Every structure is written in C-alpha cells, then in structure tokens.
Amino acid sequence: MREPASDTGLTIAVSKGRILEQTLPLLADAGIELVADPQSSRKLVLDTSVSDVKLVLIRAADVPTYVEYGAADLGVAGKDVLLEHGGDGLYEPLDLEIARCRLMVAGCPDQPEPRGRLRVASKFVNIAHRHFAAQGRQAEIIKLYGSMELAPLVGLCHYIVDLVDTGNTLTANGLAPLDPIADISARLVVNKAAMKMKHRRVKMLLSALSDAVERRRSAE
Ligand code: PRT
Ligand code: MG
C-alpha cells in the first residue's frame, strides 16, 4: 500500500474529455466547483471552490496508476480502464453512472468463423485475452492505440475489442457489434492508504457524490 501524496487535502485524478465533462456536474452537485475554466487553461492541477480539494488532469489510462501509487487520493476512471489495469490496488466504492458505453467484440457482419488462429486487435489487450480465453478460443491479441475500426478493414485482424456507444462509428466503417463483453460506466476509485489515513474526508466526499448520483437517477 502506498502513502497518500499529502496529509491534508484531497487530490482527484480526472481525464480530459467526456470523463471531465460528465464528472464536473456531479462534483458541482456535491458542492465542489472549478474556480477556472479547464478549457481555457493549460494547467494540469485545478483548484476548486473547496480549498483543500484539487483536480489533476491526466490521460484516462493513467488514472488507476496515479491513484494506486497515491499520487492522487481519488480518481474517476472508466470501468474499461479499470478492467484493463487490474483492480487489486484500488478501492472502487462508487459507480458514477456517467460516460456509459459497452465493451464489445466487433467485426465484419457476415464473415464466416475464421479458420486457424484468431487475430484480435484492441487497446484492451488484457480484457481481450481474458474474453477469448474464457471462451476457449485461441487468439493472438494485437495491441493498437487508436482507430481500431480500421484494423479489420485492412486485414490486420478478424475482430476488434472496442467501446461502443451509439454504434455509429462501427456502422460508418462497415462493422457490426458481434459479442458483448461488459457494460461500462465511470467509477470513483480511491487509494487504499488514503481511505484509511484520510478516512473522514474521503467518506464525506463519497457520500456527497453518492447522493448526487442518486439525485440524478431519481430525476431521470
Ligand atoms: O482520448 P485518450 O486517448 O486520451 O483516452 P481515451 O480515449 O481513453 O479517453 P476518452 O475521453 O475518449 O474516453 C474516456 C472514457 O469514456 C473511456 O475509458 C470509457 O469508459 C468512456 N466512454 C464512453 C467512451 C465512449 N463512451 C465512447 N463511445 N470512450 C470512447 N468511446 C469511443 C469508442 O472508442 C469509439 O471510437 O467512441 C467511439 C464509439 O462511439 P459510437 O457512439 O460511434 O458507438
Ligand atoms: Mg479517446
């Protein structure tokens, strides 16, 4: 277990883009607002209306690492990122019910079952390995960093494992969802040492956020 970064205050790791956009209204409802506009600032550490709470902006896939090592006390990360990272080093106490999508196996809709060894491209190599292994299918997993939808079109792989929301990106590339792997939403994660050493502070934030999630759910 790693030590939290500081004795006082809370640092929350959030990724720019849809996670930040969808986390900010929940934080606001929990009484925590940014003092500066994150879009117009290049700062990576953002002060909030609560003097001892700061946000740090990092890449989505880095959030579990920051929180596990105590560089941030808490973080907001997609379940996809957490499944890929492996969850043992973190607590995952709250489903924020934002940034929802599904992890899917996708490919060309009418292709026959490929013969021989399957090739699957994904940025989620661990998830892809586990999924095909659990089905007893031997698959070679090819790591990609983006534009997954191109890979089957140019013969790099038979299938991809990717996030799907509306399905428009797949359709636009002549692909279809084939096999669901998991429903995804963003989770609040907490450093294990911070949960002990800053228990009162973390619990307060957790319960304020959980109330905010509950209010949003009942408003839907
Ligand atoms: O962009 P960067 O490389 O920094 O990191 P990232 O791509 O991981 O971050 P970001 O902000 O794109 O996604 C952060 C998190 O949002 C993910 O980890 C998911 O938990 C969640 N999320 C929810 C999504 C989507 N919905 C989503 N639709 N993440 C990505 N997508 C992409 C998907 O990869 C595909 O390219 O949107 C496309 C599919 O969308 P549809 O609507 O066309 O199906
Ligand atoms: Mg992205």
Side-chain angles (χ1 to χ4, degrees), residues 10-14 19-20 22-33 53-55 73-77 93-98 186-190 201-217:
L10 290 180
T11 304
I12 310 173
V14 181
I19 297 269
L20 179 67
Q22 297 183 33
T23 299
L24 287 180
L26 279 179
L27 282 174
D29 196 18
I32 298 168
E33 290 185 78
V53 177
K54 289 187 197 321
L55 297 197
D73 301 302
L74 302 107
V76 180
L94 182 62
D95 184 346
L96 296 172
E97 302 179 12
I98 56 170
R187 310 298 164 96
L188 189 74
V189 290
V190 184
R201 201 68 191 79
V202 169
K203 271 283 137 100
M204 270 172 63
L205 179 62
L206 257 172
S207 101
L209 276 174
S210 138
D211 290 349
V213 172
E214 188 57 48
R215 273 193 292 277
R216 162 160 323 176
R217 196 188 304 134

Side-chain angles (χ1 to χ4, degrees), residues 34-50:
L34 289 184
V35 295
D37 175 9
Q39 303 309 332
S40 65
S41 151
R42 284 166 187 257
K43 281 190 181 167
L44 299 176
V45 182
L46 306 176
D47 288 324
T48 72
S49 53
V50 178

Side-chain angles (χ1 to χ4, degrees), residues 45-165:
V45 182
L46 306 176
D47 288 324
T48 72
S49 53
V50 178
S51 62
D52 67 344
V53 177
K54 289 187 197 321
L55 297 197
V56 290
L57 298 183
I58 57 180
R59 288 292 291 265
D62 291 334
V63 169
T65 307
Y66 270 67
V67 175
E68 190 169 337
Y69 281 82
D73 301 302
L74 302 107
V76 180
K79 184 68 184 176
D80 50 315
V81 168
L82 296 171
L83 287 170
E84 182 64 17
H85 178 85
D88 281 0
L90 306 160
Y91 293 125
E92 191 192 308
L94 182 62
D95 184 346
L96 296 172
E97 302 179 12
I98 56 170
R100 287 176 179 282
C101 58
R102 281 158 301 143
L103 251 176
M104 305 281 299
V105 179
C108 298
D110 303 317
Q111 66 177 313
E113 176 71 20
R115 284 191 288 151
R117 196 171 162 87
L118 281 181
R119 285 199 314 276
V120 178
S122 187
K123 76 174 183 186
F124 304 107
V125 291
N126 298 326
I127 295 171
H129 261 297
R130 284 200 297 269
H131 178 76
F132 284 91
Q135 295 185 335
R137 296 162 91 190
Q138 276 241 346
E140 181 180 348
I141 312 296
I142 301 165
K143 168 90 186 186
L144 290 180
Y145 293 87
S147 304
M148 245 69 73
E149 298 80 10
L150 180 64
L153 306 181
V154 294
L156 180 61
C157 60
H158 302 102
Y159 300 118
I160 59 173
V161 167
D162 199 6
L163 299 168
V164 180
D165 179 17

